[in-house]
Amino acid sequence: MTTETHDPITLEIIQNSLQATADEMFAATRKTAMSSIIYEVLDMGTGITDAKGQLASSGAGIPGFIGVLDKSVSFLLSKFKPEDIEPGDVFITNDPYYGGVTHLNDLVVCMPVFADGRVIAWTANIAHNSDVGGKSPGSLSADATEIFQEGLRLPAIKMISKGEPIPGIFDIITVNSRMPDFLEGDLWAAIAAVRIGARRLTELATKYGISTFEHAMANFMDHGEKIALAELAKLPHGTFELTEEQDDGRFFNVKVTISATEFVIDLRDNPVQDFGPSNAGYDDTLVSMQVIFKALTDSTSPANAGSFRPLKVLTTEGTTFHASEPAAVGFYYEIGIRGYDLVWRCLAPHMPDKLPAGHFSSIAGTFIGGIHPDTGRQYTIIEPQIGGWGASPGRDGNHAIFSAVHGETYNCPAEISEARNGLFVDRMELSTEPGGEGEFSGGHGIRLDYRIRRDNSFLTLGYTRSRILPWSLDGGNEGSANYILVMRTDGTSERYAFGSGIRVDADDVIRIITGAGGGIGDPKARDPAKVADDIKNGFITPERAAEVHGYKAA
């Protein structure tokens, strides 16, 4: 018989076991998924909640995805009666108006964990899937005006009952996809992950006792709150405000009020929801605010529900940060990162030790597809892009890494793209477009060329920071833009930041350009030795160095 104990060593072992379980779930998904967006890019997340749907571990994967999972479980708990949740059940949602939080491509799979006849926790998985139907291949449509055009909606339903698939559910899901075998394979990878997680947690609770298991989760949430409050005490207190123009001409507003006990982000004064797909649901806005809040309140400690107790996010329903059904939400991720960056820019002048100048600040979602010239099957590339980060006091920005909110992902290797998809990767290198110069300069983005192999292929993209550039600090130069050039075989080219279903044909080149981060300080104060190195490395031309840095070669 297990002896219940609440000693701190046992509680710490349980907490670390929760993290290990989330990591094992992540590995199970990565090793069994069919789509490169999951097994190579790792565009996914896994996590664990307590029985009430509160985040119990830091999870594994994209921070912005892990923050989705507790909200999905909470919705399921509000929809289903306790007696309708049984051992072996698996639930699914993808609809932001029904606990899905993000957009329809992101399938959230959740499983209750039982011990001694009752639910003691939940395991959950989220991943971006290649195609869930809708009016455009890849299910992203820049011209969508309502969510019905964006794909199959799964409004928090049970898909497996007592361990057995419910007849018809998988058929409904796969028949709505242009890539049904990939979707089904990725879905079973997610199911495998939550099942192995549930098994591990039941073993853990059995070993240490259910009371000890539940106390460990609650205790660590209280610890997360204590860390957050201790860090809040170190931040500058007061109210800070910012208004910023966006690429589409709208103005976004934020007011941040920081005290010893609360961190309040007020986004109520913002434009009404977009007629197109540039909207986010409240829960996704909350996730983005949780990520920036955690970055400011000890980013090195584990995150759980307690970590976010001092955070309050205020929105107005029917606005772009709190869209109402049936608004389209396909490009939700650019609204989430715009909100994140708004808070960052608002607070950066007051927290130079924590926040650098602006980065390329776009998920830069890129979707390329068509019929594979060798196999005759539909393919779709789904890629976030890497870009330049802003300079910090005393240090240049990083080159070519993923944007905030979307960390913990990887660019897909060229060999995988060429083998799995119907195109060639002609080049990938750092972009040397002017921008981001300062005493300390922003990091560089990339230039990536995809060459199409078959006529009647397509490009869909949604980039921000294409017109309104990454912001600088203390007299540095703004960064450079995010955009795509479609370079036609007749020598013409077209520039895009948003678009869907753009036709590309054999030997057309899709050139992806991501921005440099903003600089810090007067560019003419830059160390001449660093300028000489920049010239040597090809980051800046001698003419540009003379213009912005006042550099004269020895």
Side-chain angles (χ1 to χ4, degrees), residues 162-239:
K162 296 186 240 184
E164 296 297 324
I166 297 174
I169 295 294
F170 282 84
D171 292 337
I172 291 170
I173 293 172
T174 55
V175 78
N176 277 278
S177 175
R178 297 170 181 86
M179 303 173 66
D181 49 348
F182 281 83
L183 180 57
E184 185 171 16
D186 294 338
L187 192 52
W188 277 109
I191 294 167
V194 296
R195 280 175 165 172
I196 197 168
R199 188 182 316 134
R200 294 288 181 264
L201 296 186
T202 298
E203 293 169 352
L204 191 64
T206 301
K207 179 177 181 179
Y208 292 102
I210 295 172
S211 173
T212 300
F213 176 83
E214 293 177 327
H215 180 76
M217 288 192 288
N219 179 74
F220 209 67
M221 290 179 198
D222 291 342
H223 179 66
E225 181 181 21
K226 290 176 183 177
I227 291 175
L229 290 172
E231 293 299 317
L232 272 183
K234 303 174 187 178
L235 299 181
H237 294 171
T239 298

Side-chain angles (χ1 to χ4, degrees), residues 501-519:
I502 300 162
R503 176 168 172 161
V504 285
D505 294 313
D507 291 323
D508 286 345
V509 172
I510 297 171
R511 174 165 291 174
I512 296 163
I513 305 286
T514 61

Side-chain angles (χ1 to χ4, degrees), residues 2 125 204 461:
T2 302
N125 172 293
L204 191 64
L461 74 158

Side-chain angles (χ1 to χ4, degrees), residues 399-423:
H399 307 309
I401 58 174
F402 282 100
S403 61
V405 181
H406 209 270
E408 301 300 323
T409 46
Y410 297 84
N411 55 301
C412 188
E415 295 83 357
I416 296 295
S417 283
E418 293 188 340
R420 296 294 298 270
N421 304 310
L423 44 66

Side-chain angles (χ1 to χ4, degrees), residues 38-116:
I38 300 176
Y39 70 76
E40 287 288 353
V41 178
L42 304 183
D43 198 344
M44 60 175 173
T46 58
I48 295 163
T49 79
D50 69 3
K52 298 178 181 178
Q54 299 181 97
L55 188 66
S57 76
S58 289
I62 299 173
F65 266 5
I66 296 163
V68 167
L69 301 176
D70 57 333
K71 298 159 187 63
S72 299
V73 173
S74 294
F75 185 88
L76 287 166
L77 288 169
S78 72
K79 180 175 180 178
F80 288 88
K81 297 177 182 178
E83 59 267 27
D84 293 330
I85 300 172
E86 301 176 280
D89 287 352
V90 179
F91 299 81
I92 186 170
T93 185
N94 71 340
D95 194 312
Y97 303 113
Y98 296 89
V101 179
T102 55
H103 63 179
L104 300 183
N105 287 82
D106 297 332
L107 302 184
V108 182
V109 175
C110 307
M111 185 173 189
V113 180
F114 280 80
D116 200 20

Side-chain angles (χ1 to χ4, degrees), residues 244-252 338 342 467-468:
E244 182 187 68
E245 186 181 4
Q246 305 302 306
D247 283 355
D248 59 9
R250 293 184 293 175
F251 287 85
F252 288 173
R338 294 274 55 79
L342 198 66
R467 184 176 71 87
I468 304 299

Side-chain angles (χ1 to χ4, degrees), residues 388-401:
W389 276 58
S392 303
R395 193 179 73 179
D396 291 343
N398 290 317
H399 307 309
I401 58 174

